[in-house]
Amino acid sequence: MNFTKTKYVIVIASVLILSCTPTKPLISSKKTKTSIDTKVDSVLKLMTLDEKVGQLNQYNGFWEVTGPSPKEGQAAKKYENLKKGLVGSMINIKGVTNVKALQKIAVEQTRLGIPLIFGFDVIHGFKTISPIPLAESASWDLEAIKKSAAIAAEEAASVGINWTFAPMIDVSRDARWGRVMEGAGEDPYLGSKIAVARIQGFQGDLSSYKNILACAKHFAGYAFAESGRDYNTVDVSESTLQNTIFPPFKASVDAGVRTFMNSFNELNGIPATGNAYLQRKILKGDWKFDGFVVSDWGSINEMISHGYAKDSKQAAEIALNAGSDMDMESSAYVEHLPTLVKEGKVKESLIDDAVRRILKVKFELGLFENPYKYCDETREAATVGKAEFQEGVLDMAKKSIVLLKNEKELLPLKKSGQKIALIGALANDKTSPLGSWRIAADENTAVSVVEGLAKYTQNNVSFVKGADVAIGRTQFIWETKINTTDKSGFDEAIALAKKSDVVIMVLGEHGLQSGEGRSRADLGLPGVQEELLEAVFKVNPNIVLVLNNGRPLAIPWAAENIPAIVEAWQLGTQSGNAIAQVLYGDYNPSGKLPMTFPRNVGQEPIYYNYKNTGRPIMNEPESVFWSHYIDEKRTPLYPFGYGLSYSKFTYSNLKLSSNSFSKNGKIEVSVNVKNIGKVTGKEVVQLYTRDMIGSITRPVKELKGFEMIELQPSETKIVTFTIDEKTTDFYTANNKWETEPGDFKVFVGTNSDENLEASFQFTN
């Protein structure tokens, strides 16, 4: 596939852009930092201002690329810009045929032939869907999470995609916010570890056709939206930014993530897209991030709605000067930056910096050597949906399940001789388990719970839905109406429950009730499901409640009355098989909650690493003047880090190697963990610390380490952690990260509430 004659001249001049087939590059495939920077500068010297700005322009797919080219309207304008080399990236294009057609225009019909990057929201899978990221985070299994991302990357790469807008690494404390499903939960330490695992899974070795660019998002503060309402205002302190919000982003930079995405929200009065403090001072300055920043969808022009820019031209000026490198679907850069440079409002050197970052990543992907690296029809056909992907997402799904309650020995289910009633519309739903970020997956492709349980043939399992979760069309959230009135199926469900030994009720959120733009003011079971649960309980209390949801739910009645509760989230393609294997004990659950479950939505945001107040407890009998609610307990329903097993574990003999350490020193913390249950099980051993006195007030507890161990019945293992300055440092009143001398507590246990405790000091 040869380039044009004009391009040959440019190739000879630059010794960079290829003049022969992609399999015979003129430049070495070895990508050292120096060589890539040199190549980037050589290409940059050839570019006009318009072509430079074009690299900063990203379009959504705007026409059927295998059909006739658009002749009028906005699509025609975008098409002409594509042919002029005024597009650097495209999104929502999938399939080798489509990607190759667009790449061919960029490479063979433009003056310089600079290849495009193709982005897509590969959030937790492409065609084969893994559990939602919040569910994966409940596994606390970093290798499994890394593998899940690698599966998603390989499948997406096979259809021509080379960039995903994931992982979302916003620390999320408010379950009302719909996008909690897309992240790792409420803790910055766990979130940092999971961010790195997912980045490593997506990116791997970028020289491979199996790996794609990762994107750390959303920078920054998006999850701290007031009222838990998506896109809403964020107003937080510098301490919260540094100690809670920033750590996963800094860990992502250290892990080599190649792209960042800024966030929709304003932060302390300045929209993140136009926030120079975030993008130039912190990200590109202090952290020395050398990849590029992409805006979120249309967020440059949204600064007009924020009241921060008067029009698209000023929005482009603000965003570029603040450090946003690529404009996703605002067209603000391509329309206004050349004029802004001529007017002296934007320095061309800043545009050059943004272009260098984008070109560098394209070189790292190998697109200059082989623009069609990701365009192999044979590989596409052999890769999408292959069996090993199904096995991988099944493993991830089982590890994501959290056992919240297990009384009356209902679980694991007996494998024969039981009459089981299976109730709930979600039990027979083959789409909701895919979640809301299923844009490349086919509807009705998840294994349902009905199908999963049917593989265990020695019990008599009968299914009735009892009540719909949603009614009407359910493809889009704005067309979905939650069922709040139709109880016509209650009688059938009650009749079945009466004659059954055990009732499995699969209840929770419709698949489109969590995700972007899906904030909820009520965290209970949606619609009539709570009434259905209580009605069935009256005739048969032997209920196993299986929750399908994308966020923590407030289920106080169920927590008090239902003997067995399984948090099964939205588990993806293999959902029903994973749930069935856990219910029957073929897989012993080991998941732990990455977010706190509230008793009442009025507690939100609720999180374990809160700070004490001046009145944290009741000091006098019957006193009302302390930090609490008068109509609800202030404690969580289920705390962060909580999760049961079919095994039972005890902790004992907490030891510290020393009761103090100083600069460059450390303390070893050890604890004995024993399996006193009857079956082999895995336990996530968790280490927390507390800094008792600080230059700024400190949380009552902070996760600082965890280790998953597997124990045979009656087996004991000694688990050891190391505490050093890195474990105990924080962003202090001195505006830097350091460990302050003083007293500390250390906690080790099975969750954030149940632990053994010891004390130590840090001294100068």
Side-chain angles (χ1 to χ4, degrees):
M1 201 170 285
N2 294 322
F3 295 170
T4 64
K5 182 177 179 180
T6 302
K7 197 171 292 94
Y8 269 106
V9 177
I10 297 170
V11 169
I12 293 170
S14 65
V15 200
L16 284 167
I17 302 184
L18 310 182
S19 63
C20 56
T21 59
T23 57
K24 296 180 180 180
L26 294 179
I27 56 177
S28 168
S29 61
K30 185 177 181 181
K31 299 176 179 63
T32 64
K33 183 177 186 296
T34 302
S35 66
I36 286 180
D37 287 345
T38 300
K39 296 167 189 175
V40 167
D41 286 340
S42 297
V43 174
L44 192 65
K45 290 176 183 177
L46 303 171
M47 301 175 75
T48 66
L49 176 59
D50 284 346
E51 287 169 333
K52 291 175 184 178
V53 171
Q55 286 299 298
L56 315 186
N57 180 34
Q58 183 183 70
Y59 283 149
N60 183 39
F62 52 87
W63 103 98
E64 180 59 51
V65 297
T66 57
S69 59
K71 303 300 181 185
E72 58 185 8
Q74 191 67 16
K77 182 177 181 181
K78 290 182 175 181
Y79 180 69
E80 288 305 312
N81 280 344
L82 178 63
K83 292 178 67 176
K84 292 176 183 177
L86 303 185
V87 182
S89 171
M90 291 197 66
I91 56 176
N92 294 331
I93 306 296
K94 61 183 188 293
V96 166
T97 299
N98 294 324
V99 170
K100 185 182 288 186
L102 286 167
Q103 193 72 290
K104 187 172 183 177
I105 294 173
V107 171
E108 301 186 30
Q109 296 184 35
T110 66
R111 189 179 77 90
L112 295 179
I114 298 174
L116 300 169
I117 301 175
F118 290 88
F120 199 84
D121 282 299
V122 187
I123 304 303
H124 53 104
F126 181 71
K127 188 74 73 173
T128 306
I129 303 297
S130 284
I132 59 172
L134 185 64
E136 290 191 349
S137 302
S139 73
W140 295 52
D141 189 326
L142 301 179
E143 282 303 311
I145 293 169
K146 178 180 176 180
K147 180 180 178 182
S148 174
I151 288 171
E154 182 178 353
E155 192 171 49
S158 75
V159 303
I161 295 163
N162 44 40
W163 183 17
T164 176
F165 304 116
M168 190 195 86
I169 56 178
D170 298 283
V171 173
S172 310
R173 291 173 164 179
D174 194 332
R176 295 173 297 178
W177 190 56
R179 294 192 84 162
V180 300
M181 57 76 61
E182 201 178 333
E186 70 188 49
D187 183 70
Y189 179 86
L190 179 63
S192 297
K193 296 294 185 182
I194 290 172
V196 171
R198 299 197 76 208
I199 289 165
Q200 291 173 340
F202 284 129
Q203 289 192 171
D205 178 0
L206 286 178
S207 67
S208 169
Y209 62 81
K210 295 182 179 182
N211 296 112
I212 61 179
L213 299 170
C215 183
K217 67 181 188 185
H218 305 84
F219 198 60
Y222 187 29
F224 279 66
E226 292 181 358
S227 306
R229 198 174 75 238
D230 212 346
Y231 318 118
N232 204 11
T233 300
V234 174
D235 198 342
V236 297
S237 67
E238 182 70 11
S239 172
T240 298
L241 267 178
Q242 295 283 352
N243 288 302
T244 302
I245 294 172
F246 281 169
F249 290 102
K250 177 60 164 62
S252 298
V253 173
D254 294 341
V257 72
R258 303 312 298 132
T259 71
F260 259 59
M261 179 184 287
N262 53 45
S263 52
F264 285 120
N265 57 282
E266 71 165 54
L267 179 66
N268 302 334
I270 300 176
T273 307
N275 196 313
Y277 171 74
L278 288 176
Q279 296 171 110
R280 293 217 181 271
K281 167 65 169 64
I282 298 297
L283 181 60
K284 296 178 178 179
D286 295 350
W287 298 350
K288 297 178 172 55
F289 173 65
D290 64 351
F292 70 86
V293 180
V294 63
S295 77
D296 210 333
W297 183 287
S299 69
I300 292 179
N301 278 347
E302 286 182 13
M303 287 194 287
I304 302 169
S305 297
H306 276 292
Y308 197 70
K310 65 181 179 181
D311 53 26
S312 182
K313 182 179 178 182
Q314 188 182 24
E317 174 189 345
I318 292 170
L320 194 285
N321 285 334
S324 291
D325 299 311
M326 183 177 283
D327 174 6
M328 181 191 287
E329 198 51 31
S330 278
S331 297
Y333 280 2
V334 73
E335 291 179 4
H336 300 298
L337 283 183
T339 300
L340 288 165
V341 171
K342 293 172 185 176
E343 293 175 349
K345 294 179 179 178
V346 170
K347 294 180 180 178
E348 188 168 357
S349 61
L350 291 182
I351 292 178
D352 287 349
D353 175 69
V355 175
R356 279 193 183 94
R357 292 169 178 272
I358 293 166
L359 293 177
K360 180 177 182 178
V361 170
K362 290 183 177 184
F363 272 109
E364 291 171 344
L365 275 174
L367 295 179
F368 278 95
E369 297 179 16
N370 182 358
Y372 307 103
K373 169 184 172 182
Y374 293 89
C375 298
D376 185 318
E377 292 89 344
T378 302
R379 184 166 66 236
E380 178 181 31
T383 302
V384 174
K386 64 182 181 179
E388 68 181 72
F389 292 169
Q390 299 295 329
E391 295 168 2
V393 300
L394 174 59
D395 179 69
M396 187 74 257
K398 290 186 290 188
K399 290 175 176 176
S400 301
I401 292 173
V402 183
L403 181 62
L404 296 179
K405 188 177 181 182
N406 189 22
E407 297 177 354
K408 300 175 66 172
E409 297 185 349
L410 290 185
L411 293 176
L413 298 170
K414 298 175 183 177
K415 290 187 176 178
S416 63
Q418 284 191 315
K419 290 186 292 185
I420 299 176
L422 180 57
I423 299 173
L426 291 175
N428 202 33
D429 193 327
K430 294 171 62 63
T431 298
S432 279
L434 301 176
S436 60
W437 279 115
R438 57 174 188 259
I439 55 179
D442 297 323
E443 301 287 299
N444 298 309
T445 54
V447 177
S448 70
V449 178
V450 170
E451 292 170 325
L453 291 177
K455 296 178 180 179
Y456 294 82
T457 60
Q458 300 303 307
N459 280 326
N460 181 7
V461 180
S462 300
F463 166 73
V464 298
K465 69 178 180 180
D468 287 312
V469 179
I471 55 179
R473 292 189 61 187
T474 56
Q475 185 176 1
F476 303 106
I477 187 62
W478 51 88
E479 296 176 332
T480 301
K481 183 179 180 182
I482 299 302
N483 173 27
T484 59
T485 57
D486 183 6
K487 307 175 190 177
S488 58
F490 276 32
D491 289 344
E492 185 181 14
I494 291 168
L496 178 61
K498 283 181 179 179
K499 59 183 182 182
S500 301
D501 300 313
V502 178
V503 180
I504 300 172
M505 299 191 70
V506 184
L507 308 177
E509 294 182 311
H510 184 272
L512 296 180
Q513 280 190 279
S514 60
E516 184 177 350
R518 294 161 173 88
S519 299
R520 290 184 62 197
D522 181 356
L523 295 180
L525 291 170
V528 299
Q529 292 180 99
E530 178 85 19
E531 295 176 70
L532 176 63
L533 177 63
E534 294 183 22
V536 171
F537 178 81
K538 289 179 181 178
V539 299
N540 190 341
N542 295 326
I543 295 176
V544 177
L545 173 60
V546 177
L547 295 172
N548 285 178
N549 45 294
R551 51 158 60 83
L553 298 178
I555 51 166
W557 185 91
E560 181 178 352
N561 294 284
I562 303 302
I565 304 176
V566 176
E567 175 52 82
W569 312 103
Q570 291 157 352
L571 293 177
T573 304
Q574 288 291 323
S575 179
N577 287 333
I579 291 169
Q581 290 181 32
V582 166
L583 293 182
Y584 273 108
D586 287 339
Y587 187 87
N588 189 354
S590 56
K592 302 281 188 175
L593 294 179
M595 283 191 77
T596 301
F597 273 47
R599 299 176 184 275
N600 187 297
V601 69
Q603 293 178 298
E604 293 293 333
I606 184 172
Y607 47 95
Y608 85 94
N609 50 351
Y610 61 90
K611 294 183 178 182
N612 258 346
T613 69
R615 298 184 178 187
I617 59 174
M618 179 168 54
N619 290 317
E620 300 176 5
E622 307 302 325
S623 172
V624 73
F625 300 110
W626 63 292
S627 183
H628 70 298
Y629 301 103
I630 63 172
D631 56 354
E632 181 59 271
K633 295 178 181 178
R634 70 175 192 173
T635 56
L637 188 63
Y638 297 111
F640 173 84
Y642 178 85
L644 304 177
S645 167
Y646 296 147
S647 310
K648 187 173 182 180
F649 305 97
T650 59
Y651 288 69
S652 64
N653 201 26
L654 179 64
K655 291 182 178 180
L656 276 61
S657 60
S658 174
N659 60 7
S660 67
F661 75 102
S662 56
K663 190 173 181 62
N664 299 321
K666 63 182 180 180
I667 293 175
E668 300 295 329
V669 179
S670 64
V671 67
N672 293 1
V673 184
K674 183 177 182 180
N675 181 357
I676 61 172
K678 298 178 181 179
V679 295
T680 301
K682 294 179 180 178
E683 169 72 343
V684 179
V685 183
Q686 301 162 42
L687 172 81
Y688 299 85
T689 64
R690 180 178 179 183
D691 188 347
M692 301 305 293
I693 304 293
S695 59
I696 61 171
T697 57
R698 306 291 292 122
V700 298
K701 201 171 289 184
E702 295 177 283
L703 180 70
K704 293 296 183 178
F706 61 90
E707 182 176 340
M708 180 177 286
I709 59 173
E710 184 173 58
L711 295 173
Q712 304 292 324
S714 300
E715 182 182 6
T716 299
K717 284 187 178 179
I718 299 174
V719 179
T720 302
F721 298 97
T722 299
I723 293 177
D724 55 19
E725 286 181 84
K726 185 63 178 175
T727 315
T728 51
D729 69 352
F730 69 104
Y731 194 79
T732 70
N734 294 324
N735 296 322
K736 65 179 181 178
W737 284 84
E738 60 183 333
T739 297
E740 296 178 337
D743 296 328
F744 292 80
K745 287 185 178 181
V746 59
F747 312 87
V748 180
T750 186
N751 60 59
S752 60
D753 272 2
E754 300 176 62
N755 6 65
L756 302 177
E757 178 183 326
S759 299
F760 66 92
Q761 288 184 325
F762 175 74
T763 59
N764 281 328

